[in-house]
Amino acid sequence: MIPTRVQINRPIPPLTYEAPEGLESGLRVQVPLRTGSAIGVIEGRDPQPPTVKLKPIQEIIDPFRLVPDAVWSLMQFAADYYACTPASLMPLCMSNTLRARWDEPIAGGRSLALLRDQGHWSELQTLGLQWRSGSLKLPTLFHSEERRGVGVSEVYRTDLLPMGRSTEQQRKVLQCLDENQGILSEDELMLRSGVGTSVLQTLEDKNLIVRLKRRDTLSQQRAEESFPAVTLNAEQELVRSQIPLDAFKVHLLYGVTGSGKTEVYLKCAKEVLSQGKRVLWLVPEIGLTPRLLARLESTFPGVVGVGHAGLNASERQSDIIRSLQKEIQLFVGVRNAVFAPIDDVGLIIVDEEHESSYKSEEYPRIHARDLAIKRAQLEGCPIILGSATPSLESWVAAQQGRYRLHTLKERPAGSQLPTVDVVDLREEYRQHRKRTIFSQRLLTGLRATLDRGEQAMLLLNRRGWENFWMCRSCGKTVECIHCSITLTYHKKAFRLRCHLCHYEVTPPEVCPACAEPHLKGVGEGTEQIEELMKTHFPEARILRIDRDTTSRRGQLESKLMAAEKGEFNLIIGTQMIAKGHNFPHLTLVGILNADMGLKLPDFRAAEHTFQLLTQVAGRAGRAENVGTVILQTYSPEHHAIRSALDQNFIQFSDTEIPFRESVAYPPFYALALFRSDAKDPDEARTLLIDLKKKLEAFPDLRILGPLPAPIFRMQDRFHMQLLVRAAQRSHLSAALHQVDILSLKGISLDRDPIHFG
Ligand SMILES: [Zn+2]
Ligand SMILES: [Zn+2]
């Protein structure tokens, strides 16, 4: 036994335990904690063990490291860069339910378990090397749960926090679900938590969990479709020929909506697969692209693996096992799939590379696009970043020659840019002396579109009934009692809800501050827009798509499919309706308030607004008939809005890039955001002041703060932030290395933050 450092999946430094000699780094082990236990990852021998008596590890889970070498290297890079540990990244790649079979026989009649029991850990390490390199075959290395399919009951964790008293058994169930991304099959859950159905029933009655029979909407839809073979037009062929498939290089594929970026990806993927190499394909959200999955499975039958949160535990596990056993040749997935355990990767594709969903907003705060570039470098293969509205980071890198730029300009035959009608809401106000929700031009346009039997879409990027409630007597807004944000009214549920912590309350009749009965809702959300549209167009078949109407698995996919088939003619929604899907009958897009995102306290506000408006306006241009976009705005002269209307990314970036440079923000400066978390405001500030003193020793850094975080109070905790900028990423990295971030109590780091909230 030797002192061994084990990382666990929490933002703390590694802990030291007694473990057998010869355990390979990257092995998963179970270790005791002060209360309970955790799954950790072996880091290596502790050169300076603490002098206290060490506890032994409880169980060694893997016979040898299971993830491929490149993925293990990527995890170490990511842990170092984002100030987390490989142990926090391991569950993104392999669920904790994935276990090796120790009774697997190897040559000489011995089993892995025998080697373990006799303590032959270095021999197991050698077997692992051979297995990962492909020279050793272990056909049944994993426990495979053959529960994939329709009819299996799954248990989902809801968003609610447990209120009041809960029993030990109930807590166990919730903990099990939390450790497995909130979903487990019912059998597996009962097995792992050791509880019976009555406990599940009680939790379901409390709305803490939901039990559903698996419907498998995605696979059913996939089976119905068939696709023509991949053929490229001249422009796509040219781009394809300019992407060498045998060396690391970052390629930025800038292609207008409908120009056929997917054709180029597919062609490249086909060639790479024919060379016997594998392909990793990242998408921002699978629910929005069921058609892509169908297309991949029909083009590459039997070798496509999928990784995303909508899968049930056994499905996810099954594709990971197939990946580890080298049966998967193309792995498609969302953010976490950047760690997909496939080896010999010959091509990485990051579609819609500008999407902020590639960045995790919670620990570990990784950015999958940036890590995908690192992975391509480790694998020695090309990577294609594709977008119609590239991120300015990627665009500037291409301008500077660090990435190679490829452009697709041709729209599909017969399609035309939509005509654009800008409604100046300031003008509307001057005329009508009241705030306009639907301008006359929009209502007329909707009427005409519906009468022609076509589809219309309305975008409003805010869910709920109203924005917030305000007292007309004292001017106060109704805020969450745990957070410093206003509550949102949800009419159907008759609740005021906090969109941050899920606190909710029955709407009060009088102002909580002054007790006067003068509360009034301000601003509107999609729920109210739906109601208003029902009164304007009683015969319309309305579909609303937002987080409130698509929270169940498969709901979003089936709604989008129904809309595509024309079952609805008026689609109302938040940004969720902007991407993916073609609606063949869609000829009118109405944007109710284009400025909404511009007012956010975020230097990327213009970029995000431009991307959203360009995407949603692009929806109208894909039908046979010329589409129309009616855009309502208070700032029609803003460059983000102007450029989106012209569908002109170059025009947008030409204005935005000099601005970013002048204010020393990305892509010209690298950012690191420190956030403190404390039970009182003074402590939140003091934590960061101490850190600031340390960082001030580095002359290359610009430090701003501590300032209150945009959401200063959340769930009764207080948050301040410290923004650190450097012109050179390496200067920032060097400084951050001097601060042992994982050992800082109450402070977390967000490298390359996207949202400052
Ligand atoms: Zn009041
Ligand atoms: Zn709250």
Side-chain angles (χ1 to χ4, degrees):
M1 292 286 178
I2 57 164
T4 304
R5 281 152 71 103
V6 177
Q7 312 154 346
I8 60 170
N9 180 8
R10 294 196 197 155
I12 55 169
L15 306 170
T16 302
Y17 292 89
E18 289 256 297
E21 193 156 5
L23 291 189
E24 189 177 10
S25 69
L27 278 195
R28 293 178 304 164
V29 292
Q30 177 119 10
V31 292
L33 299 177
R34 198 171 303 153
T35 55
S37 64
I39 289 184
V41 171
I42 297 279
E43 183 178 292
R45 189 188 193 119
D46 188 344
Q48 292 170 304
T51 48
V52 297
K53 179 159 169 45
L54 297 175
K55 284 186 185 165
I57 57 173
Q58 287 169 329
E59 189 196 343
I60 297 166
I61 294 170
D62 304 325
F64 37 74
R65 171 159 56 77
L66 297 176
V67 292
D69 294 344
V71 176
W72 181 237
S73 303
L74 184 68
M75 284 181 177
Q76 282 166 318
F77 170 84
D80 184 55
Y81 188 84
Y82 294 104
C84 57
T85 60
S88 60
L89 303 168
M90 198 62 93
L92 310 184
C93 163
M94 293 193 296
S95 74
N96 288 342
T97 55
L98 183 116
R99 303 282 168 125
R101 285 172 52 140
W102 287 89
D103 54 2
E104 172 78 9
I106 52 166
R110 298 179 303 167
S111 70
L112 296 175
L114 188 80
L115 293 176
R116 170 190 63 192
D117 297 341
Q118 295 177 348
H120 295 305
W121 286 102
S122 1
E123 197 176 339
L124 282 166
Q125 198 170 335
T126 312
L127 288 176
L129 265 174
Q130 294 169 353
W131 178 76
R132 289 196 299 273
S133 73
S135 60
L136 172 71
K137 293 266 179 282
L138 292 170
T140 54
L141 181 58
F142 299 98
H143 285 283
S144 181
E145 310 276 348
E146 290 302 333
R147 291 212 200 86
R148 193 173 184 174
V150 181
V152 172
S153 273
E154 292 176 316
V155 184
Y156 295 74
R157 180 79 175 85
T158 63
D159 290 339
L160 292 181
L161 299 171
M163 294 279 186
R165 239 175 272 156
S166 51
T167 66
E168 174 75 12
Q169 288 191 318
Q170 290 170 356
R171 278 197 299 276
K172 248 186 185 158
V173 170
L174 297 181
Q175 193 191 340
C176 260
L177 284 171
D178 288 343
E179 283 167 3
N180 289 283
Q181 285 90 35
I183 318 169
L184 271 179
S185 77
E186 190 168 342
D187 297 351
E188 222 167 280
L189 179 61
M190 290 198 292
L191 193 74
R192 306 186 132 264
S193 59
V195 306
T197 41
S198 62
V199 178
L200 298 187
Q201 188 59 53
T202 315
L203 287 169
E204 193 163 26
D205 293 343
K206 291 181 169 182
N207 288 324
L208 292 170
I209 62 169
V210 179
R211 284 187 287 182
L212 287 178
K213 278 263 186 272
R214 174 143 173 63
R215 280 178 52 240
D216 209 14
T217 40
L218 276 182
S219 321
Q220 277 164 14
Q221 286 155 2
R222 277 184 251 167
E224 286 170 9
E225 312 239 354
S226 70
F227 294 90
V230 184
T231 48
L232 302 191
N233 65 25
E235 190 186 38
Q236 294 158 352
E237 192 61 62
L238 181 69
V239 168
R240 161 61 209 96
S241 70
Q242 289 171 345
I243 301 178
L245 294 173
D246 53 0
F248 168 66
K249 178 81 197 166
V250 186
H251 299 271
L252 177 61
L253 178 53
Y254 162 53
V256 297
T257 308
S259 60
K261 292 185 289 292
T262 308
E263 310 301 313
V264 175
Y265 303 152
L266 284 169
K267 193 75 176 183
C268 291
K270 233 181 161 134
E271 286 181 38
V272 166
L273 293 180
S274 74
Q275 295 162 9
K277 296 201 164 194
R278 298 189 168 83
V279 175
L280 179 59
W281 187 313
L282 301 186
V283 293
E285 196 173 335
I286 290 226
L288 296 169
T289 49
R291 173 143 287 173
L292 171 70
L293 274 190
R295 183 136 191 223
L296 288 175
E297 293 204 335
S298 101
T299 314
F300 309 110
V303 297
V304 176
V306 184
H308 69 93
L311 295 174
N312 68 10
S314 48
E315 264 185 325
R316 192 159 35 204
Q317 181 166 319
S318 140
D319 277 0
I320 292 297
I321 290 176
R322 288 170 68 217
S323 300
L324 288 166
Q325 303 274 46
K326 305 183 197 299
E327 291 160 27
I328 297 287
Q329 285 166 24
L330 188 153
F331 197 97
V332 56
V334 296
R335 185 169 66 221
N336 296 343
V338 72
F339 294 110
I342 52 174
D343 56 10
D344 221 0
V345 172
L347 172 67
I348 300 179
I349 293 159
V350 183
D351 195 20
E352 307 291 347
E353 63 88 26
H354 63 278
E355 281 287 340
S356 48
S357 62
Y358 283 124
K359 174 75 164 62
S360 169
E361 289 300 325
E362 51 195 50
Y363 176 85
R365 294 170 176 273
I366 58 162
H367 197 309
R369 177 200 60 211
D370 298 350
L371 284 179
I373 294 172
K374 183 66 193 178
R375 182 158 183 185
Q377 192 188 13
L378 289 165
E379 306 266 6
C381 74
I383 175 169
I384 307 174
L385 311 177
S387 178
T389 53
S391 64
L392 293 182
E393 281 82 355
S394 299
W395 186 251
V396 167
Q399 301 300 315
Q400 294 172 343
R402 287 182 286 131
Y403 299 175
R404 179 155 182 193
L405 178 66
H406 309 270
T407 308
L408 290 174
K409 294 194 189 99
E410 280 175 36
R411 286 166 201 277
S415 80
Q416 301 176 46
L417 274 180
T419 56
V420 172
D421 183 4
V422 179
V423 177
D424 187 338
L425 290 173
R426 297 169 304 187
E427 204 53 49
E428 292 279 314
Y429 184 83
R430 264 173 237 133
Q431 276 180 23
H432 306 292
R433 283 289 143 202
K434 66 176 192 333
R435 214 170 50 85
T436 303
I437 302 177
F438 309 107
S439 60
Q440 198 50 53
R441 266 135 79 197
L442 180 57
L443 290 175
T444 311
L446 284 168
R447 174 86 276 154
T449 306
L450 297 179
D451 285 349
R452 284 197 305 269
E454 295 164 359
Q455 282 178 316
M457 179 183 268
L458 290 181
L459 172 81
L460 181 72
N461 208 6
R462 182 194 291 138
R463 65 197 170 100
W465 182 262
E466 279 148 350
N467 191 13
F468 54 84
W469 276 21
M470 199 174 88
C471 171
R472 280 173 297 175
S473 176
C474 72
K476 289 230 164 63
T477 54
V478 182
E479 292 196 355
C480 175
I481 58 168
H482 304 292
C483 312
S484 54
I485 66 158
T486 51
L487 297 173
T488 304
Y489 179 46
H490 290 251
K491 191 184 185 200
K492 191 164 165 229
F494 194 58
R495 279 283 190 278
L496 286 171
R497 280 186 184 144
C498 173
H499 285 181
L500 280 180
C501 74
H502 308 295
Y503 167 78
E504 56 174 54
V505 65
T506 307
E509 286 176 14
V510 298
C511 169
C514 72
E516 294 283 334
H518 296 305
L519 289 172
K520 184 184 186 306
V522 178
E524 49 287 322
T526 43
E527 190 186 11
Q528 184 174 172
I529 297 301
E530 182 184 11
E531 283 292 309
L532 292 171
M533 278 289 113
K534 277 182 191 159
T535 57
H536 280 288
F537 306 105
E539 78 292 356
R541 300 184 305 280
I542 300 179
L543 171 70
R544 188 177 109 220
I545 296 181
D546 56 32
R547 284 244 304 280
D548 296 318
T549 64
T550 57
S551 54
R552 285 200 170 178
R553 173 193 172 127
Q555 253 180 335
L556 177 60
E557 291 90 332
S558 48
K559 286 189 173 192
L560 288 170
M561 288 295 202
E564 192 172 325
K565 286 184 192 133
E567 287 174 29
F568 300 96
N569 55 4
L570 180 53
I571 303 155
I572 298 168
T574 57
Q575 43 148 45
M576 293 174 89
I577 61 174
K579 23 202 107 149
H581 276 243
N582 292 334
F583 298 113
H585 311 292
L586 181 70
T587 54
L588 176 69
V589 168
I591 298 164
L592 294 182
N593 184 349
D595 323 83
M596 199 172 259
L598 285 176
K599 297 179 195 124
L600 298 173
D602 182 345
F603 72 91
R604 284 196 179 86
E607 185 177 4
H608 289 153
T609 298
F610 169 76
Q611 288 163 349
L612 175 63
L613 297 182
T614 307
Q615 269 177 340
V616 74
R619 297 289 104 203
R622 307 191 83 168
E624 304 255 307
N625 313 319
V626 180
T628 305
V629 177
I630 299 178
L631 179 141
Q632 307 187 142
T633 174
Y634 286 97
S635 35
E637 68 292 332
H638 193 286
H639 77 279
I641 291 176
R642 283 255 58 90
S643 307
L645 290 173
D646 299 341
Q647 301 263 302
N648 192 333
F649 170 74
I650 310 275
Q651 178 187 315
F652 170 74
S653 63
D654 283 352
T655 315
E656 187 70 10
I657 286 173
F659 162 72
R660 294 284 185 87
E661 195 161 15
S662 71
V663 295
Y665 269 116
F668 301 96
Y669 272 67
L671 301 186
L673 186 72
F674 288 96
R675 262 192 213 98
S676 63
D677 169 292
K679 63 183 187 310
D680 72 75
D682 288 339
E683 193 192 341
R685 177 181 297 274
T686 316
L687 285 169
L688 290 178
I689 287 175
D690 291 346
L691 175 65
K692 186 177 183 176
K693 281 185 196 134
K694 285 184 206 158
L695 291 171
E696 275 168 346
F698 299 90
D700 298 318
L701 305 185
R702 292 198 192 186
I703 307 172
L704 182 70
L707 293 169
I711 296 165
F712 178 49
R713 188 168 71 126
M714 186 160 132
Q715 289 182 282
D716 294 322
R717 307 281 300 179
F718 292 85
H719 305 278
M720 302 282 286
Q721 62 189 33
L722 194 66
L723 183 66
V724 184
R725 287 180 284 179
Q728 298 288 327
R729 196 169 295 270
S730 55
H731 291 164
L732 188 55
S733 293
L736 296 179
H737 270 138
Q738 297 303 311
V739 184
D740 185 6
I741 293 151
L742 285 180
S743 60
L744 292 176
K745 288 227 161 58
I747 298 179
S748 61
L749 169 66
D750 189 357
R751 243 359 244 282
D752 308 321
I754 295 277
H755 295 293
F756 284 11

